[in-house]
């Protein structure tokens, strides 16, 4: 009796909207590339026109300008790297190359781990939500109403919101993983088919050669048998 792996129970070639996991991975890669391209464009615009981000106080402005420029350069590099990783995933899913999808899958795992740590930190330190609300600008919509809620209610709302995000991210991770397995299995099947085809052509002679080979004639009877 053959035993199946627990991972095989979650393996499926379909994802949301009843499309193939390969198509879903391509759409996801293109979507992430567009988001990171917009972020990169905004960051490059901010670096190109830094006058809009200066503060009125000269002493604080000099300190924060260096930090802002450094942070913007790091964020720009991360956005450019993300565009490269998403492009590799899109290309790998389109050209059926599983190794190109692995970096994007690792990024999804890392992002999921970070969001999980955020949820854990909210549970351990619930007062951080109130501190974050106090740092919001005064014209932020519904700031006073949200700040009037109790800490327990705020923690529950934030945890429910983060849980929904984590569930959605886990589903996307499963889609990309299934796409990688599908591409790798198709590649293995193609290699086996190639080897089997080559072995067949070597072992079996061509049709023309087989037809042209004359059939063996029966050996002539010996003279002793004839005289008998």
């Amino acid at each position: 009796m053959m035993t199946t792996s627990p991972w095989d129970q979650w393996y499926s070639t379909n994802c949301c909207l009843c499309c193939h996991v390969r198509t879903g991975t391509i759409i996801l890669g293109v979507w992430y590339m567009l988001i990171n391209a917009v972020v990169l464009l905004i960051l490059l615009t901010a670096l190109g026109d830094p006058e809009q981000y200066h503060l009125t106080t000269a002493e604080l402005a000099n300190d924060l300008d260096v930090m802002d420029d450094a942070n913007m350069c790091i964020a720009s590099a991360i956005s450019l790297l993300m565009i490269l990783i998403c492009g590799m995933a899109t290309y790998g899913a389109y050209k059926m190359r599983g190794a190109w999808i692995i970096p994007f899958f690792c990024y999804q795992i890392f992002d999921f781990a970070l969001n999980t740590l955020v949820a854990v930190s909210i549970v351990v330190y619930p007062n951080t939500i109130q501190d974050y609300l106090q740092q919001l600008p005064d014209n932020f919509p519904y700031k006073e109403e949200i700040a009037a809620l109790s800490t327990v209610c705020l923690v529950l709302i934030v945890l429910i919101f983060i849980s929904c995000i984590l569930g959605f991210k886990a589903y996307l991770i499963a889609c990309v993983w299934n796409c990688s397995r599908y591409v790798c299995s198709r590649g293995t099947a193609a290699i086996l088919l190639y080897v089997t085809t080559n072995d067949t052509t070597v072992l079996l002679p061509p049709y023309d050669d087989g037809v042209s080979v004359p059939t063996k004639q029966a050996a002539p009877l010996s003279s002793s048998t004839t005289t008998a």
Side-chain angles (χ1 to χ4, degrees), residues 205-216:
Y207 178 75
D208 296 337
D209 296 342
V211 174
S212 60
V213 173
T215 57
K216 293 183 179 181

Side-chain angles (χ1 to χ4, degrees), residues 73 102 128 137 143 147 160 167 172 174 190 196:
C73 290
I102 300 301
T128 55
K143 177 183 177 180
I160 291 173
L172 295 180
T196 305

Side-chain angles (χ1 to χ4, degrees), residues 1 7 39 42 72 119 133 143 184 208 211 219:
M1 182 178 180
W7 297 102
V39 172
I42 294 173
M72 286 183 182
L133 290 175
K143 177 183 177 180
C184 293
D208 296 337
V211 174

Side-chain angles (χ1 to χ4, degrees), residues 10-174:
W10 300 97
Y11 176 70
S12 176
T13 56
N14 295 327
C15 61
C16 55
L17 301 178
C18 299
C19 63
H20 198 272
V21 289
R22 182 164 164 255
T23 305
T25 303
I26 293 174
I27 295 174
L28 185 63
V30 173
W31 173 250
Y32 270 80
M33 276 195 298
L34 291 176
I35 293 177
N36 287 278
V38 171
V39 172
L40 181 62
L41 181 61
I42 294 173
L43 292 173
L44 293 178
T45 304
L47 288 174
D49 190 9
E51 301 254 349
Q52 298 180 359
Y53 299 93
H54 283 182
L55 296 178
T56 56
T57 306
E59 185 177 356
L60 292 177
N62 293 330
D63 294 337
L64 292 178
D65 282 342
V66 177
M67 295 176 60
D68 289 342
D69 291 341
N71 291 332
M72 286 183 182
C73 290
I74 294 174
S76 300
I78 293 175
S79 298
L80 188 61
L81 180 63
M82 282 303 307
I83 292 174
L84 178 62
I85 292 176
C86 298
M88 289 174 60
T90 305
Y91 178 80
Y94 180 73
K95 291 293 185 178
M96 303 290 289
R97 298 181 180 180
W100 291 65
I101 308 176
I102 300 301
F104 184 69
F105 176 75
C106 294
Y107 157 73
Q108 286 184 304
I109 296 295
F110 180 73
D111 182 58
F112 185 85
L114 285 181
N115 285 272
T116 305
L117 289 177
V118 171
V120 173
S121 65
I122 291 175
V123 175
V124 177
Y125 304 102
N127 293 327
T128 55
I129 301 177
Q130 294 289 347
D131 297 337
Y132 177 74
L133 290 175
Q134 293 177 1
Q135 296 176 3
L136 293 176
D138 295 333
N139 57 355
F140 188 82
Y142 303 106
K143 177 183 177 180
E144 296 180 358
E145 290 79 359
I146 296 174
L149 297 175
S150 62
T151 305
V152 177
C153 184
L154 287 175
V155 169
L156 289 177
I157 293 174
V158 173
L159 285 180
I160 291 173
F161 180 72
I162 294 179
S163 300
C164 294
I165 294 177
L166 289 177
F168 182 69
K169 286 181 179 292
Y171 181 75
L172 295 180
I173 290 173

